[in-house]
Amino acid sequence: MEIGEPERQITVEPVEDPVPREEPVEAPAEPEREEIPA
Amino acid sequence: MSENAPDLIGPILGWRAWCVRETEEGWRLYSIHYGEPWPVRNDLTAWCYRSRYLSTANNISHNRHIAPTKDCFCGIYGANEFGQVRQYVIASYLSCEMVPPDYVHRVVGQVSLWGRVVQCSQGYRAGNAYPARLWLPVRRPDGKSIDVDAIAFGLADYGIPIELLDAGTRYEIVHQIGYGREAA
């Protein structure tokens, strides 16, 4: 792709992440166990 | 200003074209020139082909470096105006394309560029990139049928806006998007 002559090198920091990354799936909470009397 | 402060708050947007190919994971984007797969929900990181291969394979002097650098051609490309990518919207055997042989379709769109960036007179070469928006032509230029709904559904994995383009030929695509349209 023709993008012309290089002019300068810069550092670009995104305000927000441009990647819609996978949100971590939270592990389902373990159901409370009923205490069974012995 | 801190030595580590960025020069620009971004990301920068540029125009690109991609090949589309069906994989075991679904429909995926590939770079036209190097056949590089674009990961889903993760940024593509640039590396220099010349410094990885040429310097060892052909005994050509080319320093290993982090991509991109001003003195090389490496980096992930994005053009300022859509007209600059018009030649890639359909297959061209005149350009140095290394597309996957089993690619099915091509899409055009805007790409987010950030990180280490070389600003050029008509675009950018960047170290990090992710597609920002896609235009998916509903027809192929050669008239071969494609399941555009399946492709659109599959590319939705990227989590970005996808617009169907009632077009197939280069003329139709350029006419609908606009030759001089800037990426913004």
Side-chain angles (χ1 to χ4, degrees):
Chain A
M1 186 194 307
E2 181 53 55
I3 56 170
E5 294 299 313
E7 293 177 343
R8 62 176 182 148
Q9 185 170 308
I10 55 175
T11 305
V12 179
E13 187 175 298
V15 181
E16 293 178 6
D17 190 354
V19 182
R21 300 184 197 275
E22 297 278 12
E23 291 186 9
V25 180
E26 289 183 20
E30 282 194 21
E32 288 183 18
R33 291 184 182 178
E34 287 182 24
E35 294 218 359
I36 303 169
Chain B
M1 186 180 284
S2 158
E3 194 177 312
N4 296 323
D7 301 297
L8 194 69
I9 300 298
I12 292 168
L13 286 177
W15 285 100
R16 282 190 65 91
W18 289 268
C19 287
V20 181
R21 180 175 172 230
E22 190 172 21
T23 70
E24 288 181 358
E25 289 79 35
W27 292 92
R28 294 293 180 259
L29 298 172
Y30 285 78
S31 295
I32 287 176
H33 273 148
Y34 291 99
E36 189 82 16
W38 282 60
V40 165
R41 295 184 183 271
N42 207 349
D43 50 309
L44 178 66
T45 306
W47 51 278
C48 180
Y49 279 79
R50 284 161 61 98
S51 62
R52 184 176 290 190
Y53 294 132
L54 291 184
S55 55
T56 53
N58 297 336
N59 204 22
I60 294 173
S61 174
H62 191 80
N63 294 331
R64 284 182 176 270
H65 58 256
I66 298 169
T69 62
K70 198 177 166 186
D71 300 329
C72 191
F73 299 98
C74 56
I76 304 160
Y77 282 48
N80 286 345
E81 293 185 358
F82 174 70
Q84 294 165 248
V85 303
R86 71 191 184 284
Q87 71 184 98
Y88 303 107
V89 300
I90 64 172
S92 167
Y93 298 102
L94 297 176
S95 61
C96 303
E97 298 185 355
M98 294 169 64
V99 297
D102 55 347
Y103 85 92
V104 171
H105 200 32
R106 292 197 177 199
V107 296
V108 294
Q110 296 179 347
V111 60
S112 297
L113 304 168
W114 70 97
R116 187 183 173 103
V117 174
V118 175
Q119 184 177 6
C120 302
S121 55
Q122 298 170 57
Y124 300 90
R125 294 188 274 119
N128 301 82
Y130 193 79
R133 185 186 184 98
L134 299 176
W135 280 265
L136 174 59
V138 298
R139 297 182 293 278
R140 276 177 55 124
D142 57 10
K144 283 184 183 172
S145 65
I146 48 168
D147 188 346
V148 74
D149 290 334
I151 296 173
F153 187 76
L155 292 179
D157 288 351
Y158 284 91
I160 55 169
I162 299 173
E163 194 175 316
L164 295 182
L165 207 56
D166 185 16
T169 65
R170 178 184 291 146
Y171 173 80
E172 290 170 337
I173 295 168
V174 172
H175 181 70
Q176 288 210 24
I177 292 182
Y179 183 89
R181 184 165 172 177
E182 295 180 357

